[in-house]
mmCIF file of all heavy atoms in Angstrom:
data_model
loop_
_atom_site.group_PDB
_atom_site.id
_atom_site.type_symbol
_atom_site.label_atom_id
_atom_site.label_comp_id
_atom_site.label_asym_id
_atom_site.label_seq_id
_atom_site.Cartn_x
_atom_site.Cartn_y
_atom_site.Cartn_z
ATOM 1 N N ARG N 24 -133.630 -46.572 -40.395
ATOM 2 C CA ARG N 24 -133.308 -45.475 -39.494
ATOM 3 C C ARG N 24 -132.782 -44.285 -40.192
ATOM 4 O O ARG N 24 -133.069 -43.123 -39.880
ATOM 5 C CB ARG N 24 -132.243 -45.966 -38.400
ATOM 6 C CG ARG N 24 -131.904 -44.953 -37.303
ATOM 7 C CD ARG N 24 -131.030 -45.556 -36.210
ATOM 8 N NE ARG N 24 -130.751 -44.502 -35.293
ATOM 9 C CZ ARG N 24 -131.436 -44.161 -34.304
ATOM 10 N NH1 ARG N 24 -132.642 -44.733 -34.107
ATOM 11 N NH2 ARG N 24 -131.031 -43.169 -33.482
ATOM 12 N N ALA N 25 -131.884 -44.499 -41.150
ATOM 13 C CA ALA N 25 -131.325 -43.442 -42.006
ATOM 14 C C ALA N 25 -132.443 -42.704 -42.745
ATOM 15 O O ALA N 25 -132.453 -41.508 -42.774
ATOM 16 C CB ALA N 25 -130.343 -43.990 -43.017
ATOM 17 N N VAL N 34 -124.997 -36.723 -48.228
ATOM 18 C CA VAL N 34 -124.087 -37.713 -48.789
ATOM 19 C C VAL N 34 -123.497 -36.999 -50.023
ATOM 20 O O VAL N 34 -124.098 -36.653 -50.954
ATOM 21 C CB VAL N 34 -124.904 -38.931 -49.221
ATOM 22 C CG1 VAL N 34 -123.973 -39.889 -49.976
ATOM 23 C CG2 VAL N 34 -125.485 -39.644 -48.023
ATOM 24 N N ARG N 45 -124.322 -33.878 -54.752
ATOM 25 C CA ARG N 45 -124.820 -33.879 -53.369
ATOM 26 C C ARG N 45 -126.237 -34.522 -53.327
ATOM 27 O O ARG N 45 -127.091 -34.206 -54.151
ATOM 28 C CB ARG N 45 -124.866 -32.422 -52.861
ATOM 29 C CG ARG N 45 -123.484 -31.767 -52.826
ATOM 30 C CD ARG N 45 -123.545 -30.429 -52.183
ATOM 31 N NE ARG N 45 -122.248 -29.814 -52.283
ATOM 32 C CZ ARG N 45 -121.239 -30.017 -51.364
ATOM 33 N NH1 ARG N 45 -121.465 -30.783 -50.321
ATOM 34 N NH2 ARG N 45 -120.064 -29.415 -51.547
ATOM 35 N N GLU N 85 -126.407 -46.721 -52.366
ATOM 36 C CA GLU N 85 -127.795 -47.146 -52.664
ATOM 37 C C GLU N 85 -127.824 -48.750 -52.776
ATOM 38 O O GLU N 85 -128.761 -49.386 -52.315
ATOM 39 C CB GLU N 85 -128.304 -46.608 -53.947
ATOM 40 C CG GLU N 85 -128.546 -45.060 -53.717
ATOM 41 C CD GLU N 85 -128.681 -44.282 -55.061
ATOM 42 O OE1 GLU N 85 -128.678 -44.976 -56.143
ATOM 43 O OE2 GLU N 85 -128.727 -43.056 -55.042
ATOM 44 N N PRO N 91 -128.889 -55.919 -49.621
ATOM 45 C CA PRO N 91 -129.156 -56.684 -48.443
ATOM 46 C C PRO N 91 -130.579 -56.640 -47.934
ATOM 47 O O PRO N 91 -131.162 -57.659 -47.465
ATOM 48 C CB PRO N 91 -128.171 -56.167 -47.413
ATOM 49 C CG PRO N 91 -127.113 -55.486 -48.185
ATOM 50 C CD PRO N 91 -127.884 -54.928 -49.369
ATOM 51 N N LEU N 109 -110.161 -61.288 -61.099
ATOM 52 C CA LEU N 109 -111.617 -60.911 -61.066
ATOM 53 C C LEU N 109 -112.400 -61.994 -61.686
ATOM 54 O O LEU N 109 -113.525 -62.298 -61.223
ATOM 55 C CB LEU N 109 -111.753 -59.612 -61.895
ATOM 56 C CG LEU N 109 -111.295 -58.371 -61.091
ATOM 57 C CD1 LEU N 109 -111.134 -57.186 -62.021
ATOM 58 C CD2 LEU N 109 -112.248 -58.028 -60.009
ATOM 59 N N VAL N 130 -112.223 -52.168 -67.375
ATOM 60 C CA VAL N 130 -111.972 -53.177 -66.400
ATOM 61 C C VAL N 130 -112.909 -54.339 -66.503
ATOM 62 O O VAL N 130 -112.532 -55.541 -66.578
ATOM 63 C CB VAL N 130 -111.988 -52.673 -64.954
ATOM 64 C CG1 VAL N 130 -111.716 -53.769 -63.979
ATOM 65 C CG2 VAL N 130 -110.887 -51.626 -64.762
ATOM 66 N N THR N 149 -121.681 -39.476 -68.434
ATOM 67 C CA THR N 149 -121.461 -38.576 -69.631
ATOM 68 C C THR N 149 -122.268 -39.012 -70.836
ATOM 69 O O THR N 149 -122.227 -38.259 -71.795
ATOM 70 C CB THR N 149 -119.918 -38.712 -69.954
ATOM 71 O OG1 THR N 149 -119.553 -40.034 -70.268
ATOM 72 C CG2 THR N 149 -119.101 -38.190 -68.800
ATOM 73 N N TRP N 171 -139.670 -53.375 -47.518
ATOM 74 C CA TRP N 171 -138.667 -54.336 -47.161
ATOM 75 C C TRP N 171 -139.325 -55.594 -46.629
ATOM 76 O O TRP N 171 -140.116 -55.540 -45.669
ATOM 77 C CB TRP N 171 -137.566 -53.759 -46.275
ATOM 78 C CG TRP N 171 -136.916 -52.570 -46.814
ATOM 79 C CD1 TRP N 171 -136.818 -51.376 -46.214
ATOM 80 C CD2 TRP N 171 -136.210 -52.436 -48.025
ATOM 81 N NE1 TRP N 171 -136.122 -50.455 -46.946
ATOM 82 C CE2 TRP N 171 -135.703 -51.126 -48.064
ATOM 83 C CE3 TRP N 171 -135.909 -53.321 -49.055
ATOM 84 C CZ2 TRP N 171 -134.976 -50.658 -49.137
ATOM 85 C CZ3 TRP N 171 -135.177 -52.877 -50.146
ATOM 86 C CH2 TRP N 171 -134.695 -51.546 -50.208
ATOM 87 N N ALA N 180 -125.867 -61.141 -46.074
ATOM 88 C CA ALA N 180 -126.122 -59.787 -46.577
ATOM 89 C C ALA N 180 -125.123 -59.231 -47.531
ATOM 90 O O ALA N 180 -125.382 -58.531 -48.462
ATOM 91 C CB ALA N 180 -126.135 -58.847 -45.352
ATOM 92 N N ALA N 201 -124.119 -59.960 -38.146
ATOM 93 C CA ALA N 201 -122.749 -59.630 -38.030
ATOM 94 C C ALA N 201 -122.520 -58.176 -38.348
ATOM 95 O O ALA N 201 -121.827 -57.420 -37.654
ATOM 96 C CB ALA N 201 -121.917 -60.501 -38.973
ATOM 97 N N ARG N 220 -122.504 -35.768 -35.201
ATOM 98 C CA ARG N 220 -121.772 -34.458 -35.389
ATOM 99 C C ARG N 220 -120.571 -34.703 -36.313
ATOM 100 O O ARG N 220 -119.770 -33.692 -36.575
ATOM 101 C CB ARG N 220 -121.300 -33.964 -34.034
ATOM 102 C CG ARG N 220 -122.422 -33.389 -33.167
ATOM 103 C CD ARG N 220 -121.884 -32.856 -31.835
ATOM 104 N NE ARG N 220 -122.918 -32.127 -31.152
ATOM 105 C CZ ARG N 220 -123.919 -32.599 -30.477
ATOM 106 N NH1 ARG N 220 -124.050 -33.894 -30.357
ATOM 107 N NH2 ARG N 220 -124.792 -31.810 -29.904
ATOM 108 N N GLY N 289 -96.533 -28.323 -48.192
ATOM 109 C CA GLY N 289 -97.388 -27.052 -48.299
ATOM 110 C C GLY N 289 -98.070 -26.814 -46.971
ATOM 111 O O GLY N 289 -99.309 -26.820 -46.910
ATOM 112 N N LYS N 292 -101.619 -24.787 -46.451
ATOM 113 C CA LYS N 292 -102.325 -24.745 -47.698
ATOM 114 C C LYS N 292 -103.754 -25.212 -47.510
ATOM 115 O O LYS N 292 -104.649 -24.682 -48.192
ATOM 116 C CB LYS N 292 -101.691 -25.648 -48.697
ATOM 117 C CG LYS N 292 -102.315 -25.626 -50.105
ATOM 118 C CD LYS N 292 -101.550 -26.494 -51.083
ATOM 119 C CE LYS N 292 -102.229 -26.522 -52.484
ATOM 120 N NZ LYS N 292 -101.500 -27.357 -53.442
ATOM 121 N N GLY N 320 -100.946 -31.071 -36.041
ATOM 122 C CA GLY N 320 -102.128 -31.046 -35.123
ATOM 123 C C GLY N 320 -103.150 -32.009 -35.527
ATOM 124 O O GLY N 320 -104.324 -31.840 -35.257
ATOM 125 N N GLU N 331 -111.811 -61.244 -42.971
ATOM 126 C CA GLU N 331 -112.566 -62.261 -42.187
ATOM 127 C C GLU N 331 -113.176 -61.758 -40.904
ATOM 128 O O GLU N 331 -113.968 -62.487 -40.287
ATOM 129 C CB GLU N 331 -111.517 -63.379 -41.811
ATOM 130 C CG GLU N 331 -111.088 -64.199 -43.003
ATOM 131 C CD GLU N 331 -109.823 -63.658 -43.649
ATOM 132 O OE1 GLU N 331 -109.463 -62.497 -43.380
ATOM 133 O OE2 GLU N 331 -109.176 -64.425 -44.423
ATOM 134 N N TRP N 381 -99.874 -63.270 -21.605
ATOM 135 C CA TRP N 381 -100.107 -61.890 -21.943
ATOM 136 C C TRP N 381 -99.092 -61.045 -21.156
ATOM 137 O O TRP N 381 -99.389 -60.313 -20.246
ATOM 138 C CB TRP N 381 -101.511 -61.417 -21.698
ATOM 139 C CG TRP N 381 -102.554 -61.976 -22.526
ATOM 140 C CD1 TRP N 381 -102.436 -63.095 -23.378
ATOM 141 C CD2 TRP N 381 -103.916 -61.530 -22.805
ATOM 142 N NE1 TRP N 381 -103.558 -63.315 -24.078
ATOM 143 C CE2 TRP N 381 -104.481 -62.368 -23.741
ATOM 144 C CE3 TRP N 381 -104.627 -60.417 -22.296
ATOM 145 C CZ2 TRP N 381 -105.782 -62.192 -24.154
ATOM 146 C CZ3 TRP N 381 -105.884 -60.219 -22.737
ATOM 147 C CH2 TRP N 381 -106.521 -61.091 -23.671
ATOM 148 N N ILE N 386 -94.521 -64.623 -27.983
ATOM 149 C CA ILE N 386 -95.118 -64.380 -29.280
ATOM 150 C C ILE N 386 -95.819 -65.593 -29.716
ATOM 151 O O ILE N 386 -95.438 -66.737 -29.417
ATOM 152 C CB ILE N 386 -94.045 -63.912 -30.304
ATOM 153 C CG1 ILE N 386 -93.089 -64.987 -30.698
ATOM 154 C CG2 ILE N 386 -93.383 -62.609 -29.879
ATOM 155 C CD1 ILE N 386 -92.226 -64.681 -31.922
ATOM 156 N N ASP N 471 -80.494 -68.515 -46.392
ATOM 157 C CA ASP N 471 -79.104 -68.390 -46.054
ATOM 158 C C ASP N 471 -78.551 -69.749 -45.643
ATOM 159 O O ASP N 471 -79.176 -70.446 -44.731
ATOM 160 C CB ASP N 471 -78.887 -67.348 -44.882
ATOM 161 C CG ASP N 471 -77.484 -67.107 -44.567
ATOM 162 O OD1 ASP N 471 -76.871 -66.239 -45.191
ATOM 163 O OD2 ASP N 471 -76.900 -67.847 -43.653
ATOM 164 N N ILE N 518 -92.026 -49.737 -54.257
ATOM 165 C CA ILE N 518 -92.312 -51.142 -53.695
ATOM 166 C C ILE N 518 -93.610 -51.598 -54.239
ATOM 167 O O ILE N 518 -94.626 -50.899 -54.092
ATOM 168 C CB ILE N 518 -92.181 -51.082 -52.186
ATOM 169 C CG1 ILE N 518 -90.819 -50.744 -51.639
ATOM 170 C CG2 ILE N 518 -92.670 -52.435 -51.663
ATOM 171 C CD1 ILE N 518 -90.711 -50.575 -50.129
ATOM 172 N N PHE N 526 -97.708 -53.979 -48.906
ATOM 173 C CA PHE N 526 -96.460 -54.300 -49.629
ATOM 174 C C PHE N 526 -96.590 -55.753 -50.115
ATOM 175 O O PHE N 526 -96.998 -56.684 -49.377
ATOM 176 C CB PHE N 526 -95.293 -54.180 -48.787
ATOM 177 C CG PHE N 526 -94.890 -52.823 -48.348
ATOM 178 C CD1 PHE N 526 -94.321 -52.519 -47.173
ATOM 179 C CD2 PHE N 526 -95.217 -51.769 -49.241
ATOM 180 C CE1 PHE N 526 -93.958 -51.201 -46.773
ATOM 181 C CE2 PHE N 526 -94.863 -50.455 -48.885
ATOM 182 C CZ PHE N 526 -94.230 -50.210 -47.681
#
Side-chain angles (χ1 to χ4, degrees):
R24 183 174 180 83
V34 175
R45 298 184 185 276
E85 291 163 6
L109 285 165
V130 174
T149 60
W171 300 124
R220 288 181 169 81
K292 181 177 178 181
E331 293 89 343
W381 290 18
I386 66 171
D471 185 88
I518 294 175
F526 292 149

